[in-house]
Amino acid sequence: MHSLHEIRIIGLPGVPEVQPGDDIAQIILECAVAAELSVARGDIVAITHKIVSKSEGRLVNLAKVVPSPFAAQYAERYGKDPRHVEVVLRESARIVRMDRGLIIAETRQGHVCANAGVDASNVAGSETVCLLPVDPDASAARIRQALHTALGFDVPVLITDSFGRPWREGIVNIAIGVSGFAPLADYRGQVDTHGLALQASVLAVADEIAAATELVMGKLEQVPVAIVRGYSYVLGEGSARELRMDPSRDMFR
C-alpha cells in the first residue's frame, strides 16, 4: 500500500504595507500570531521580493531620474515613460533584446527577465518603481537567521518573483533568493521503475515551490508571504545562483 503525500501552501494574511527599514521576519511572525497560524519545523517560508525590496529601500522616485538620450528615444518610439526606461537600463548588466517597447535584460544579480525586474505594480505612488534586492540570496539568509533567532529552530526562506518564459504564455513565480535548502534535486544516476538509469533529471525544486506559492499569493490578494508545509527538502545553505544556467551551456546567448 502506497503512503499518501501532501504538501500544504498557506497564505499569510494581514501583512501591512512594508516601509524601508521594516523587519520582515518580525512582520511574518506577528502576522502568523494574529492569524492563529504557526511557523513549524520543516516549513519553508516563501516571500515575494517586493516586500523584501521595500524593506531594503530598493525604491526609485522617477521624479529624480534624468533619462539618457537613448532612453528618451526608445521611450518615445513605443510610448513609454523615459525615466522608467532609464532605470531599467541602469539595472541591466546585459541587454538581451529590445523590441516593441519591451526590454529583456540580464540583471546585475544574474537573472534574465523583462525590464531587469524594475516594476511599478503594488508600489505606493505613481512616481515610484521597485527594484530587485541587491543580493536576494543574502536577503533570504538574513530573514532565515532572524526567524531562527526568534523561533529557536531553522526555517528555510525562499524569495520569489514572477518571470515570463520563452515560448510559453503567462508569467510564473520563480526563486530569486534561497537560503536553508538545496534548490535542485539531482536524480542523475538513479534508476527508474523500469530499471533505466536517469541521465538528465535535475529538478528545479525551488522554482517549483515558488510557482506553487503564487496560487495562494496572487497578484491582487495582498498576500506576499506563504508557508509551505509538508515538502521533504534537502538541508543545505542553498542559493538561487545554483538555478542559473552557466553561460557556457546557454544555447541561446
Side-chain angles (χ1 to χ4, degrees):
M1 181 176 180
H2 294 290
S3 60
L4 297 177
H5 296 280
E6 177 183 73
I7 297 175
R8 294 183 63 200
I9 303 172
I10 309 163
L12 186 64
V15 176
E17 178 66 30
V18 171
Q19 303 296 330
D22 282 352
D23 186 329
I24 296 298
Q26 181 179 351
I27 289 173
I28 289 170
L29 294 174
E30 289 176 350
C31 290
V33 170
E36 299 183 345
L37 295 171
S38 63
V39 179
R41 292 181 186 271
D43 288 349
I44 297 173
V45 173
I47 310 166
T48 58
H49 94 82
K50 194 67 63 68
I51 65 169
V52 176
S53 293
K54 288 178 181 178
S55 74
E56 295 177 355
R58 295 283 287 163
L59 301 169
V60 175
N61 183 349
L62 292 179
K64 298 181 179 180
V65 175
V66 178
S68 65
F70 179 77
Q73 181 182 39
Y74 186 78
E76 182 178 8
R77 180 179 178 184
Y78 293 105
K80 301 293 183 179
D81 186 330
R83 303 167 302 173
H84 194 150
V85 173
E86 177 64 26
V87 176
V88 171
L89 295 176
R90 292 178 186 179
E91 288 299 302
S92 301
R94 178 174 66 97
I95 300 298
V96 177
R97 186 76 180 269
M98 295 179 69
D99 191 19
R100 288 167 281 186
L102 182 65
I103 300 174
I104 305 298
E106 180 178 343
T107 72
R108 299 186 185 280
Q109 297 84 353
H111 304 293
V112 176
C113 60
N115 296 322
V118 178
D119 191 5
S121 65
N122 292 311
V123 179
S126 60
E127 292 281 287
T128 303
V129 294
C130 187
L131 314 180
L132 296 178
V134 172
D135 185 342
D137 283 326
S139 300
R142 285 192 295 270
I143 297 170
R144 173 188 166 204
Q145 181 57 55
L147 290 172
H148 185 282
T149 299
L151 295 169
F153 54 84
D154 197 24
V155 178
V157 170
L158 179 68
I159 295 176
T160 74
D161 193 12
S162 297
F163 281 17
R165 302 158 298 156
W167 309 291
R168 302 287 287 181
E169 292 290 351
I171 58 176
V172 170
N173 254 15
I174 71 162
I176 66 168
V178 174
S179 182
F181 72 105
L184 296 167
D186 190 347
Y187 291 92
R188 290 174 297 183
Q190 299 188 39
V191 178
D192 69 11
T193 55
H194 298 284
L196 297 176
L198 302 179
Q199 298 180 8
S201 297
V202 181
L203 300 187
V205 294
D207 282 344
E208 292 184 321
I209 294 169
T213 63
E214 175 68 12
L215 298 175
V216 299
M217 290 176 173
K219 291 299 178 191
L220 304 174
E221 287 79 1
Q222 295 182 312
V223 180
V225 179
I227 299 169
V228 180
R229 182 164 295 165
Y231 176 69
S232 298
Y233 56 83
V234 176
L235 289 171
E237 286 305 307
S239 167
R241 292 187 296 275
E242 299 173 52
L243 295 160
R244 298 202 296 265
M245 182 171 289
D246 188 283
S248 65
R249 296 179 56 237
D250 186 348
M251 296 176 64
F252 304 97
R253 181 175 287 263

